Amino acid sequence: MEYFLGIDIGTSRVKAVLFDSNFHAVASAAENTSPTLSPQGYAEQDMEQLWQSVVRTLREVADSPALQQGQLKAIGLAGQGEGVWLSDKHGNPVGPGILWSDTRSRALMDELLRSPGLDKALFDETGSQLQPCNTSLQLCWLKRNQPERLAAADYVFFAKDWIRFRLTQVAALELTDTSASLLDQTSGEISDFALHALGIDDLKTRFPPLLRPDAPAGSLSEAAALLCGLPHGTPVAAGALDVCSAALGCGAIHDGDIYTILGTTCCTGVVCHGRETVSSGTRFVTHTEPGSFINLFPMQAGTPNIDWLQQHISLTPDLVALEKEIAAIPPGSGGVFWQPYLNGERAPFYSPTARAGFFGIDQHTSRAALQRAVFEGLAYAIVDSLTGYASEGDLYLTGGGAASATWLQIIADCTGRTVIASHFNELSARGAALLAARSVGAYKSYPAIEQTRYRPQPQAHAVYRALFPVFRLLREQLQPVWQARHQALQSFSEDNEQ
């Protein structure tokens, strides 16, 4: 039997999944990682610790009965996007990796936004507006504040590209990751305009060659093979940005397909074959599929809302018991709304000061209604992202949250779309394995995947359709309140420091 391995380098977890030639998972391993967060907005990852996590997960998969009896044909990678991962020519880290969630460049962004027309020009060229998560802006910050760190680096990588370099000793970037803020979306090359506009032209030589997601990108080196327990010389594909890999993994590959990743961020993507259908209110990236883009709404709102609910509001940490409680509450939660902005928001609107909260509580509001409102708030946020798009079309769902049948039905009812959920949820790893198969010519047609459909209930959808404008109005009216709160807290903090 022939097998394909997909590695998914997440923000807080590394996963390795082994697939057979029908792309059914036959073995997997995972390990949590430990990003370092600071009050100053720094979000970093010890790169060597990440590499050791990858090695341990690969060793576990290597010991699986399937690989003892079969042949590993190719390896593919998917990974968290944006951020800055610097190394010397041997792959040794130059400082910690900077994550996409790092906000240290926010003041720099505010400065650059005062340059007339710059934000729009960057969007027209690269598909991304100025945001702290952008690799381009983080590199600009490093050049101004830590130039010695950049000077010590031979390569600028994204997370999965650095891991691939450690596996193969072949340095390369690939298109989907690079397209998040550094790519000229017309030419498919690194954007000279973006580099010049941000004053980082001299870094262009630090970017390794660009590859397509399904391009061969070297093979497993002898040293890495020994560490990981996998066959020396196994082909390794370039791979893809995790949100693009997940789109491929769940089947969102056709023009107009929509998908949402129910994870740390509830990232929603709309597949489009032409840039004329791209919303200027967000960003777009290159898809794994030639000629396609993904109009991306990388919301900050995500499953941390559910984690918070289980830790602080729910009387039970058990998700099954929680689902039973919220299923007994009618759609709309009695007019209670939850604004799911625990960590600010970046799409479909940008507000680092946005915060979560309930609205509409009265003396009859129950704990169960509050709990359901949290799930509904995340569903409303998906509707918010899709405002302005055609109302028809199915919605593919993936990620850890897709294991909740009650939540999936709420999303179907709220969006008015048929929700398609795969029984297997590690779809970013599946996409990486599919790219690996394509890189060695073993991919003939898109393989079927077992899925369940949740169709919207007309009465429930009518309730949510009536209530959504209130949700939207609420978040619009709260913008100045969030900002005022932030300024008041900042002033209070400064007073205490004096």
Side-chain angles (χ1 to χ4, degrees), residues 291-486:
S292 290
F293 301 101
I294 299 176
N295 196 11
L296 205 60
F297 297 87
M299 299 185 297
Q300 295 280 80
T303 52
N305 285 268
I306 309 301
D307 297 336
W308 176 86
L309 172 67
Q310 291 178 283
Q311 293 168 12
H312 301 292
I313 300 296
S314 176
L315 295 179
T316 173
D318 181 58
L319 184 60
V320 175
L322 178 59
E323 285 187 302
K324 289 182 180 178
E325 292 182 15
I326 68 174
I329 301 298
S333 302
V336 175
F337 293 88
W338 170 254
Q339 295 286 306
Y341 310 121
L342 289 170
N343 302 303
E345 189 52 284
R346 56 179 180 166
F349 67 97
Y350 178 75
S351 175
T353 61
R355 287 299 179 266
F358 289 107
F359 173 80
I361 296 173
D362 61 30
Q363 61 182 345
H364 302 295
T365 301
S366 66
R367 184 188 301 271
L370 295 177
Q371 293 174 161
R372 183 180 179 97
V374 172
F375 286 86
E376 290 178 339
L378 289 163
Y380 283 132
I382 295 172
V383 177
D384 200 7
S385 291
L386 295 175
T387 298
Y389 286 91
S391 58
E392 66 272 6
D394 296 337
L395 174 60
Y396 294 86
L397 289 182
T398 179
S404 170
T406 302
W407 192 13
L408 297 184
Q409 187 60 56
I410 288 174
I411 294 172
D413 293 339
C414 198
T415 61
R417 300 174 185 271
T418 295
V419 161
I420 302 174
S422 302
H423 294 183
F424 175 74
N425 284 322
E426 300 294 354
L427 294 175
S428 186
R430 185 175 190 263
L434 288 168
L435 292 171
R438 278 175 23 185
S439 74
V440 294
Y443 183 106
K444 296 180 177 61
S445 61
Y446 190 84
I449 183 169
E450 198 173 359
Q451 298 170 321
T452 298
R453 292 174 176 261
Y454 297 81
R455 291 179 170 79
Q457 301 166 341
Q459 289 183 322
H461 178 54
V463 172
Y464 289 127
R465 191 170 62 245
L467 290 173
F468 171 71
V470 182
F471 174 88
R472 176 69 177 262
L473 178 64
L474 183 61
R475 69 98 160 153
E476 291 172 347
Q477 295 298 316
L478 280 172
Q479 290 269 15
V481 179
W482 290 328
Q483 184 62 29
R485 170 190 175 275
H486 172 73

Side-chain angles (χ1 to χ4, degrees), residues 18 26 29 32 175 212 215 279 356 477 495:
L18 186 68
V26 297
N32 292 334
L175 285 173
R212 284 206 53 80
S279 167
Q477 295 298 316
D495 289 342

Side-chain angles (χ1 to χ4, degrees), residues 90-384:
H90 302 295
N92 299 310
V94 177
I98 299 176
L99 304 181
W100 62 269
S101 51
D102 192 286
T103 59
R104 72 184 72 181
S105 63
R106 181 178 160 193
L108 174 59
M109 181 194 74
D110 291 339
E111 173 195 323
L112 292 170
L113 284 173
R114 291 193 285 272
S115 299
L118 176 61
D119 200 31
K120 183 180 185 305
L122 285 170
F123 178 81
D124 291 343
E125 173 98 348
T126 69
S128 294
Q129 294 153 328
L130 285 164
Q131 289 194 2
C133 64
N134 290 2
T135 296
S136 55
L137 192 60
Q138 292 177 348
L139 287 171
C140 180
W141 186 94
L142 283 170
K143 184 172 181 181
R144 292 193 184 190
N145 296 277
Q146 297 179 5
E148 69 287 349
R149 186 167 162 189
L150 285 176
D154 292 293
Y155 294 121
V156 176
F157 287 116
F158 299 98
K160 69 152 193 345
D161 298 322
W162 177 70
I163 293 295
R164 190 182 59 246
F165 184 40
R166 292 294 293 262
L167 291 172
T168 65
Q169 286 304 299
V170 177
L173 299 180
E174 65 77 38
L175 285 173
T176 63
D177 247 328
T178 309
S179 71
S181 69
L182 286 167
L183 195 72
D184 179 335
Q185 293 280 9
T186 301
S187 70
E189 302 291 338
I190 296 288
S191 169
D192 289 329
F193 169 75
L195 298 186
H196 180 72
L198 297 176
I200 52 175
D201 314 62
D202 57 321
L203 298 181
K204 189 171 183 179
T205 57
R206 317 285 175 90
F207 297 116
L210 275 173
L211 300 175
R212 284 206 53 80
D214 56 4
S219 59
L220 201 60
S221 71
E222 187 173 358
L226 187 63
L227 280 174
C228 302
L230 296 171
H232 170 224
T234 301
V236 180
L241 172 63
D242 56 3
V243 294
C244 300
S245 187
L248 173 61
C250 74
I253 56 177
H254 305 103
D255 191 34
D257 282 350
I258 301 170
Y259 72 103
T260 294
I261 303 170
L262 300 179
T264 304
T265 63
C266 279
C267 182
T268 295
V270 182
V271 179
C272 47
H273 287 342
R275 288 176 56 175
E276 64 275 5
T277 58
V278 165
S279 167
S280 61
T282 181
R283 64 196 333 198
F284 63 95
V285 295
T286 302
H287 201 340
T288 60
E289 307 311 285
S292 290
F293 301 101
I294 299 176
N295 196 11
L296 205 60
F297 297 87
M299 299 185 297
Q300 295 280 80
T303 52
N305 285 268
I306 309 301
D307 297 336
W308 176 86
L309 172 67
Q310 291 178 283
Q311 293 168 12
H312 301 292
I313 300 296
S314 176
L315 295 179
T316 173
D318 181 58
L319 184 60
V320 175
L322 178 59
E323 285 187 302
K324 289 182 180 178
E325 292 182 15
I326 68 174
I329 301 298
S333 302
V336 175
F337 293 88
W338 170 254
Q339 295 286 306
Y341 310 121
L342 289 170
N343 302 303
E345 189 52 284
R346 56 179 180 166
F349 67 97
Y350 178 75
S351 175
T353 61
R355 287 299 179 266
F358 289 107
F359 173 80
I361 296 173
D362 61 30
Q363 61 182 345
H364 302 295
T365 301
S366 66
R367 184 188 301 271
L370 295 177
Q371 293 174 161
R372 183 180 179 97
V374 172
F375 286 86
E376 290 178 339
L378 289 163
Y380 283 132
I382 295 172
V383 177
D384 200 7

